[in-house]
Structure formats: C-alpha cells, structure tokens
C-alpha cells in the first residue's frame, strides 16, 4: 500500500530535525568528521553550517504545518516537535555547561542530560508517526516509555564508542 502524503511529510520533517541536530552538534562538539566525511562546518565554516541547520529546522516545521493533516492533529504534531526541540536544546545546553567546568556528575545528572538531549529525537519521530496514524494516548504513552529507554541506551552506547575511539 502507498504511504499517505501526510505521513511522508512527517517522516521528512523528522529527518530534517535529525540532520539539523547533527549539524549543530558537530559544531558544539568541535567534531571533524560525520559518517566518514568532513563535517559541514569544517568544509564551509560555522556560519554556513549554522544556517543550514536552521534552514532544516524551518523546513521541518513547515512540512508539519503543510502536512495535510486535520488542523487539530497538525497543531498537536507541531506541539510535540516544538517540545522535543526545546528538550533537546536544554539537554545540549546542560552538557555544554558541564563541558566548561568538567566536574564530576552523578549518575542521575548524566541520565538527565541523556533524557533531555537524546530521548527527544527518538520520541518526536515515534510520536509524529503515531499522531499521523491516529494512534490514541495509550499507544503514545507506550512509545514515550520506549523512547526513554531507547534514547538513554543509545546515548550510553554512543558515549562508550566515542570513549573507545579516543583511547
């Protein structure tokens, strides 16, 4: 069966948000490579990379707004994406603040940073799919719980991998 256009637009919006977060994260972490290629800010400079990331965010929100879903559903999708964007930025801000002072963090503090900076990417993707498919709160609650576990687990694995590559 063909995928309905609103679902396609939501999927592309999620991808725009994801790529924007990677462009910005590469700048914030001063990374030289992504997927084996030189990062955008290394190739073209920070101003252009920031602009590309911001452009992708705008495109993502525009795709949700123009998805063709009913107005009430579109509003819910925009709220979910906006809340995820906010959480991701707060979590990344917490990590950036920690990187400036490099003090020991408790397990709870580390998990909270992961919960804020990584979980939203998974949750927004799953929630937008659920919203677009007309899923109820019961399904969305399960997806939120799943996103928490998946996002935290992913970030732990990613940080261990980064640590191994450093040594």
């Amino acid at each position: 069966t063909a995928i309905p256009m609103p679902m396609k637009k939501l999927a592309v919006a999620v991808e725009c948000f994801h790529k924007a977060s990677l462009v910005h994260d590469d700048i914030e972490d001063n990374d030289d490579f992504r997927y084996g290629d030189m990062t955008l800010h290394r190739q073209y400079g920070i101003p252009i990379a920031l602009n590309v990331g911001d452009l992708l965010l705008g495109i993502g929100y525009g795709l949700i707004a123009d998805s063709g879903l009913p107005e009430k559903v579109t509003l819910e999708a925009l709220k979910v994406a906006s809340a995820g964007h906010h959480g991701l930025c707060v979590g990344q801000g917490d990590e950036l603040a920690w990187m400036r002072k490099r003090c020991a963090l408790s397990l709870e503090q580390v998990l909270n940073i992961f919960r804020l900076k990584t979980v939203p990417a998974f949750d927004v993707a799953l929630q937008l799919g659920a919203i677009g498919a007309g899923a109820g709160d019961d399904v969305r609650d399960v997806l939120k719980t799943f996103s928490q576990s998946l996002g935290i687990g992913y970030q732990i694995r990613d940080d261990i991998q980064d640590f191994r590559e450093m040594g």
Side-chain angles (χ1 to χ4, degrees):
T1 62
I3 298 171
M5 187 54 70
M7 291 299 281
K8 288 180 182 180
K9 287 184 177 185
L10 292 177
V12 174
V14 166
E15 191 60 21
C16 287
F17 296 148
H18 180 236
K19 294 304 182 204
S21 73
L22 295 179
V23 170
H24 290 162
D25 188 63
D26 287 342
I27 294 167
E28 292 164 339
D29 293 348
N30 201 28
D31 288 333
D32 294 326
F33 295 95
R34 169 76 61 186
Y35 306 131
D37 293 323
M38 194 173 289
T39 55
L40 197 62
H41 73 281
R42 290 286 182 239
Q43 290 183 53
Y44 301 102
I46 290 173
I48 289 176
L50 284 172
N51 195 56
V52 168
D54 292 346
L55 175 68
L56 288 168
L57 290 170
I59 291 170
Y61 284 109
L63 285 165
I64 294 171
D66 296 332
S67 66
L69 292 169
E71 188 173 312
K72 184 177 178 182
V73 177
T74 299
L75 181 59
E76 177 64 16
L78 287 167
K79 286 180 180 180
V80 164
S82 176
H85 188 170
H86 177 261
L88 184 147
C89 290
V90 169
Q92 187 68 18
D94 287 350
E95 183 179 73
L96 291 170
W98 170 77
M99 289 173 70
R100 286 182 155 227
K101 57 184 175 178
R102 294 283 183 173
C103 61
L105 294 175
S106 69
L107 177 59
E108 184 177 312
Q109 289 171 310
V110 171
L111 292 178
N112 194 51
I113 288 172
F114 292 173
R115 192 172 291 109
L116 287 170
K117 82 170 209 160
T118 308
V119 168
F122 291 99
D123 193 47
V124 167
L126 294 172
Q127 294 296 328
L128 290 183
I131 289 167
D137 289 341
D138 55 337
V139 171
R140 291 188 55 202
D141 289 344
V142 169
L143 292 174
K144 183 167 279 311
T145 300
F146 177 71
S147 296
Q148 290 275 331
S149 299
L150 181 62
I152 290 170
Y154 173 85
Q155 191 61 56
I156 290 169
R157 181 185 156 275
D158 189 60
D159 284 357
I160 289 170
Q161 187 175 2
D162 286 349
F163 181 75
R164 287 183 177 155
E165 289 174 3
M166 290 172 47

